[in-house]
Amino acid sequence: MLTNPLLKNIDYDYLYKNGIIAPWYLKPSQLQLYNMIQSLRRVVCSCRRRFGKTTVIGVDFCENCVTKEGLRVFYGSPQLNQSRAILSQVLEHIYAYAPRCKPKYYTQDGC
């Protein structure tokens, strides 16, 4: 959870329902990557381990799924079981602030 005392009285349900997650959730360096993803069609990033690349993508997924009805999101990884294990953990952390707003999502293994 967040430790910043300025963020304690925020209505997280309102922010989640309106797709406003990145500005308060991401670190400044992650926010730079997020802004690039929002403004460019394709992005290639070379970031160190534990930078938060998956977190940035997870926030982008969450915001887009809330604001764009019927959106389908596809996510892949080198090994079949990695996608679910990694992304589900990130989504759980992102929605920890407003668990009532957590969307239902369905997974499908394979092509």
Side-chain angles (χ1 to χ4, degrees), residues 57-91:
I57 295 300
V59 167
D60 185 48
F61 286 175
C62 293
E63 289 182 347
N64 283 315
C65 287
V66 169
T67 58
K68 298 173 183 171
E69 189 175 332
L71 181 70
R72 296 175 84 188
V73 175
F74 298 93
Y75 182 82
S77 62
Q79 293 183 350
L80 187 60
N81 61 347
Q82 288 178 324
S83 295
R84 181 179 297 148
I86 294 169
L87 194 60
S88 63
Q89 185 179 25
V90 168
L91 293 177

Side-chain angles (χ1 to χ4, degrees), residues 27 30 47-53:
K27 297 174 185 174
Q30 293 171 330
C47 302
R48 68 190 186 289
R49 291 182 72 242
R50 315 253 330 140
F51 175 82
K53 300 175 288 292

Side-chain angles (χ1 to χ4, degrees), residues 2-104:
L2 293 176
T3 56
N4 186 338
L6 298 174
L7 299 176
K8 286 187 179 179
N9 295 323
I10 291 179
D11 183 2
Y12 291 109
D13 288 348
Y14 173 82
L15 294 174
Y16 279 96
K17 288 177 184 176
N18 289 285
I20 305 168
I21 302 171
W24 61 269
Y25 186 80
L26 296 176
K27 297 174 185 174
S29 56
Q30 293 171 330
L31 201 51
Q32 282 183 306
L33 177 58
Y34 172 84
N35 290 332
M36 275 193 266
I37 291 170
Q38 296 300 309
S39 63
L40 301 171
R41 183 175 172 155
R42 293 184 183 176
V43 175
V44 176
C45 68
S46 176
C47 302
R48 68 190 186 289
R49 291 182 72 242
R50 315 253 330 140
F51 175 82
K53 300 175 288 292
T54 305
T55 301
V56 172
I57 295 300
V59 167
D60 185 48
F61 286 175
C62 293
E63 289 182 347
N64 283 315
C65 287
V66 169
T67 58
K68 298 173 183 171
E69 189 175 332
L71 181 70
R72 296 175 84 188
V73 175
F74 298 93
Y75 182 82
S77 62
Q79 293 183 350
L80 187 60
N81 61 347
Q82 288 178 324
S83 295
R84 181 179 297 148
I86 294 169
L87 194 60
S88 63
Q89 185 179 25
V90 168
L91 293 177
E92 288 295 325
H93 191 265
I94 290 170
Y95 279 100
Y97 300 97
R100 293 184 305 247
C101 296
K102 183 179 175 187
K104 291 181 182 177

